[in-house]
Amino acid sequence: MRDRELLASEVASQVAAHQPYGGVVPEVASRHHLQHAPRLLKRTIERAGISLGEVDAFAATSGPGLASSLMIGASLAKGLALGFGKPYLAINHLEGHLLSPFFSSAGGIEPNVSLIVSGGHTLLVDVHGVADYRIMGRTVDDAAGEAFDKVAKMLGLGYPGGPEIERGAAGGDPARFDLPRSMLHSGDANFSFSGLKTAVRYLLPKVSSADTRDLCASFQRAVVDVLVAKTIAAARVARRRLVTVSGGVSCNKELRAQMALGCDSAGLEVRFAESGLCTDNAAMIAFAAMLRLERGDSTPLTAEIDPNLALA
Ligand code: KG4
Ligand code: ZN
């Protein structure tokens, strides 16, 4: 196992650029990538205290994601690989999230049931090891993070909605509003969050701004209850003793607390992505690339990006 020291991790946040629109605008995203990628590369190399020639391999996300943004990262990494005569690795965005809870652990990737909760995905995956994944379930409509973002928008809170709802829920009563826990007893590992979003919409005309705190707390608890119950059920089905949680929504402290409690009483161990590695970042992609490289993997420079790339 190689050293897993994180020499530098830089993120050029686009939150401010998309905030006025209340969501990600693809055109703004790709322009932002183009403007900031070279500067970000330079800064990362400087902070790491190395030269580009010392890098063993170059990796980029090849999907799923916005085509025009993926293309910029992949072109840059391919150019560097070609220029320095080093391997190129195309990494699945979801694999980056899925492996991130192991970032700081000394051992390898232990078998686990992985909950990936982001703005674009809600997935339960049975993980046997690196590159050995079986999808157990997914959302049939909105992703968990998407539900946070849409409900925040309805409540007039900012973007991205997850952290806004979490802040808005502080001190609120999570039992005040009786909101649906969709597909809780569906007997499979799938999720649905659009009914919950609609339930909040129907409540809005009946409540005042004084109720926002309780509404945020009740919504957050409804999402968390379903995520926790279904993850524990999936771990039982897959006969795994370890649960991992990653993706932007795994920043959420209520999710972390309830998942820890639930797993503890179910006799399961739980490991979360470190808070700095929950939302999209290049360090998790580099980590996945390192594990792939150790297996002898590399990607031909002719490989294309795939906005709809599947994990398994
Ligand atoms: O993984 P990520 O950065 O991007 C995607 O791959 O989609 O996840 C972004 C999502 C957004 O929907 C955002 O609202 C949500 O993660 N998020 C949170 C929190 N922080 C970010 N959701 C709930 N609570 C949070 N604290
Ligand atoms: Zn992501």
Side-chain angles (χ1 to χ4, degrees):
M1 193 67 58
R2 293 178 185 206
D3 279 354
R4 286 183 185 174
E5 193 187 346
L6 182 60
L7 298 180
S9 172
E10 298 292 318
V11 175
S13 172
Q14 300 196 6
V15 166
H18 298 292
Q19 225 147 24
Y21 308 99
V24 173
V25 181
E27 167 62 22
V28 173
S30 56
R31 199 176 317 153
H32 199 280
H33 273 69
L34 201 54
Q35 278 169 350
H36 293 278
R39 181 183 61 82
L40 200 60
L41 174 69
K42 186 164 178 282
R43 197 167 77 203
T44 309
I45 287 294
E46 281 168 7
R47 296 245 162 109
I50 57 169
S51 69
L52 274 171
E54 292 176 82
V55 175
D56 292 323
F58 295 92
T61 309
S62 58
L66 289 171
S68 49
S69 296
L70 294 170
M71 218 131 52
I72 292 162
S75 304
L76 184 59
K78 283 180 188 178
L80 290 163
L82 187 66
F84 288 95
K86 297 288 172 60
Y88 164 64
L89 288 108
I91 299 297
N92 186 306
H93 173 178
L94 299 171
E95 185 177 36
H97 281 306
L98 178 141
L99 297 172
S100 62
F102 293 94
F103 199 91
S104 297
S105 59
I109 305 301
E110 298 156 51
N112 68 91
V113 159
S114 157
L115 172 69
I116 305 174
V117 264
S118 69
H121 295 85
T122 302
L123 275 185
L124 274 167
V125 189
D126 185 17
V127 179
H128 191 70
V130 178
D132 193 350
Y133 313 127
R134 185 175 65 87
I135 308 281
M136 299 185 72
R138 50 165 43 93
T139 181
V140 298
D141 42 52
D142 293 349
E146 192 181 354
F148 270 97
D149 294 339
K150 287 177 174 172
V151 166
K153 204 168 182 176
M154 273 185 231
L155 295 173
L157 304 173
Y159 165 85
E164 295 288 335
I165 298 242
E166 177 163 19
R167 262 192 296 278
D173 176 5
R176 164 91 186 279
F177 297 102
D178 185 20
L179 294 169
R181 270 77 171 152
S182 302
M183 296 182 78
L184 195 56
H185 304 293
S186 59
D188 58 24
N190 290 332
F191 300 91
S192 165
F193 294 107
S194 76
L196 172 59
K197 175 191 65 188
T198 308
V200 173
R201 179 170 290 136
Y202 283 144
L203 265 177
L204 283 183
K206 301 176 197 153
V207 297
S208 75
S209 58
D211 300 311
T212 303
R213 208 158 49 138
D214 291 343
L215 194 51
C216 285
S218 301
F219 165 79
Q220 179 173 258
R221 181 60 69 85
V223 175
V224 165
D225 278 354
V226 178
L227 293 176
V228 171
K230 296 224 119 177
T231 304
I232 291 172
R236 287 210 177 100
V237 169
R239 298 178 186 275
R240 300 289 185 209
R241 298 198 41 83
L242 175 64
V243 160
T244 64
V245 190
S246 61
V249 182
S250 71
C251 291
N252 189 276
K253 290 187 193 68
E254 176 74 5
L255 173 61
R256 287 178 175 246
Q258 298 298 332
M259 188 69 84
L261 276 175
C263 285
D264 192 46
S265 37
L268 299 166
E269 191 195 329
V270 60
R271 202 174 293 173
F272 300 94
E274 287 166 35
S275 52
L277 297 179
C278 292
T279 48
D280 288 348
N281 63 89
M284 72 183 189
I285 302 300
F287 180 56
M290 187 195 84
L291 295 173
R292 288 272 184 175
L293 198 63
E294 283 174 356
R295 284 167 28 100
D297 291 359
S298 68
T299 310
L301 293 177
T302 49
E304 306 266 7
I305 54 114
D306 180 355
N308 301 310
L309 188 64
L311 180 65

